[in-house]
């Protein structure tokens, strides 16, 4: 099942070479290991930074208004960590500087999104302003912390793909946005497949994306990860990880990822080709 599922999703067009931030050419294939929750707390930040410095993590998705977001931004700038914005709609903001108004709006959004499994795929007209404010406030805080607007956005628990965010046009067109997982169980209900197809159409039209997106876990069987990594020979592959989890940290910091990646080196940053932009 693992073999057929990953192979069947490999029918996308090959990526085209492009130029990176430093002017160097980006190869057609690229293996990007992205760590989520940067700045959520000190343990998460430190374990992630360790993996970045070892070359096992390419980039991070940074949270704002969280326990360690201020310090994490300083570390990112000191060490040149490639940090996108990890939009948070559901977990409490714990930073002392979080505006009361933001807490109120996010509380309304969180209650809605976590109420039932259908909520993410249903546009709620009564929460338009709350969604707008929650996104705008986090982008503004990111700019304050990192000195520039985010070039890449994704979401905590993938809530950036909710109907109110995508249909509301809350993510700047042309930016890099994380797609759905490239393979999910065929047992997912019809409502999920319909929602996925609709959001994929919006993402393809308005944003740039990696060709494939997979979670790092499960780590076993090793053949699963080897197949995923092998796709990076011709395509841009993003692998999501959470180094705060002991098993993932050991796999990354201990160097096992390099052995399994083989001839697919881990990218030093999150770069994708302009060929993946608006179609």
């Amino acid at each position: 099942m693992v073999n057929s599922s990953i192979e069947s999703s490999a029918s996308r067009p090959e990526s085209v070479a492009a130029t990176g931030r430093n002017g160097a050419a980006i190869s057609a294939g690229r293996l990007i290991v992205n760590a989520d929750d940067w700045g959520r707390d000190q343990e998460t930040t430190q374990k992630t930074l360790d993996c970045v410095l070892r070359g096992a993590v390419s980039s991070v998705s940074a949270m704002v208004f969280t326990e360690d977001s201020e310090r994490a931004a300083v570390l990112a700038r000191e060490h040149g960590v490639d940090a996108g914005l990890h939009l948070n709609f559901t977990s409490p903001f714990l930073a002392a500087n979080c505006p009361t108004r933001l807490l109120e709006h996010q509380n309304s959004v969180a209650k809605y999104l976590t109420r039932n499994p259908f909520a993410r795929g249903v546009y709620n007209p009564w929460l338009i302003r709350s969604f707008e404010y929650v996104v705008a406030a986090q982008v503004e805080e990111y700019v304050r912390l990192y000195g520039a607007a985010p070039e890449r956005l994704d979401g905590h628990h993938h809530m950036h793909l909710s109907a109110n965010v995508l249909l509301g046009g809350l993510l700047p067109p042309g930016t890099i946005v994380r797609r759905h997982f490239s393979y999910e169980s065929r047992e997912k209900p019809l409502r999920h497949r319909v929602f996925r197809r609709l959001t994929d159409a919006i993402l393809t039209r308005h944003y740039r994306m990696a060709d494939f997106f997979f979670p790092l876990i499960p780590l076993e069987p090793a053949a699963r990860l080897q197949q995923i990594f092998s796709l990076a020979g011709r395509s841009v592959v993003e692998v999501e990880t959470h180094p705060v989890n002991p098993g993932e940290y050991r796999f990354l910091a201990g160097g096992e990822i390099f052995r399994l990646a083989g001839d697919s080196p881990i990218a030093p940053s999150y770069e994708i080709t302009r060929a993946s932009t608006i179609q």
Side-chain angles (χ1 to χ4, degrees):
M1 179 63 71
V2 173
N3 295 345
S4 60
S5 64
I6 294 178
E7 289 172 359
S8 65
S9 64
S11 59
R12 303 182 187 278
E14 295 182 13
S15 298
V16 180
T19 301
R21 295 177 181 178
N22 60 1
I26 301 173
S27 63
R30 193 166 180 86
L31 176 58
I32 299 167
V33 181
N34 188 83
D36 286 6
D37 303 343
W38 173 262
R40 186 174 188 177
D41 52 52
Q42 288 197 20
E43 181 184 12
T44 299
T45 303
Q46 288 303 129
K47 287 191 172 180
T48 300
L49 180 61
D50 187 26
C51 294
V52 170
L53 296 179
R54 292 171 185 264
V57 164
S58 311
S59 56
V60 302
S61 293
M63 303 183 82
V64 296
F65 295 118
T66 48
E67 178 186 314
D68 199 41
S69 56
E70 295 265 358
R71 190 181 72 97
V74 173
L75 289 172
R77 299 177 78 167
E78 286 180 354
H79 295 281
V81 178
D82 183 351
L85 174 58
H86 198 50
L87 289 168
N88 175 19
F89 298 97
T90 53
S91 294
F93 291 125
L94 300 177
N97 69 328
C98 184
T100 300
R101 184 183 176 199
L102 176 57
L103 293 174
E104 292 171 349
H105 279 291
Q106 197 225 28
N107 184 55
S108 298
V109 168
K111 283 183 177 179
Y112 172 69
L113 289 175
T114 59
R115 183 171 60 188
N116 64 64
F118 295 92
R120 187 175 69 153
V122 178
Y123 188 85
N124 187 329
W126 290 276
L127 288 176
I128 291 175
R129 294 195 180 279
S130 290
F131 271 96
E132 289 176 346
Y133 185 79
V134 170
V135 171
Q138 291 183 77
V139 170
E140 182 179 340
E141 178 68 356
Y142 177 97
V143 171
R144 184 184 75 82
L145 293 174
Y146 290 87
E151 298 179 0
R152 174 169 48 86
L153 300 102
D154 53 45
H156 194 49
H157 301 148
H158 306 276
M159 289 298 179
H160 68 296
L161 297 175
S162 66
N164 273 78
V165 175
L166 290 184
L167 296 180
L170 302 186
L171 307 180
T175 55
I176 299 173
V177 174
R178 177 179 281 172
R179 67 190 313 135
H180 288 280
F181 284 127
S182 295
Y183 171 72
E184 295 179 309
S185 171
R186 295 176 183 175
E187 297 177 1
K188 291 284 186 179
L190 176 62
R191 61 173 172 78
H192 180 90
R193 295 198 299 272
V194 171
F195 170 68
R196 179 189 177 100
R197 288 175 183 174
L198 288 173
T199 53
D200 276 349
I202 295 173
L203 291 169
T204 300
R205 183 176 181 82
H206 295 288
Y207 306 104
R208 292 184 291 142
M209 300 178 291
D211 299 316
F212 297 97
F213 174 48
F214 298 96
L216 181 65
I217 56 174
L219 299 174
E220 297 291 342
R224 168 187 171 270
L225 286 176
Q226 287 176 316
Q227 282 187 293
I228 289 171
F229 296 158
S230 70
L231 294 174
R234 297 189 303 171
S235 304
V236 178
V237 179
E238 178 186 354
V239 177
E240 170 198 70
T241 184
H242 298 83
V244 72
N245 297 333
E248 293 184 63
Y249 177 76
R250 287 193 298 270
F251 179 81
L252 295 166
E256 181 65 9
I257 188 171
F258 299 112
R259 186 183 71 80
L260 290 185
D263 295 331
S264 299
I266 297 168
S269 62
Y270 199 122
E271 300 277 5
I272 63 174
T273 71
R274 284 286 169 182
S276 300
T277 193
I278 302 173
Q279 299 182 4

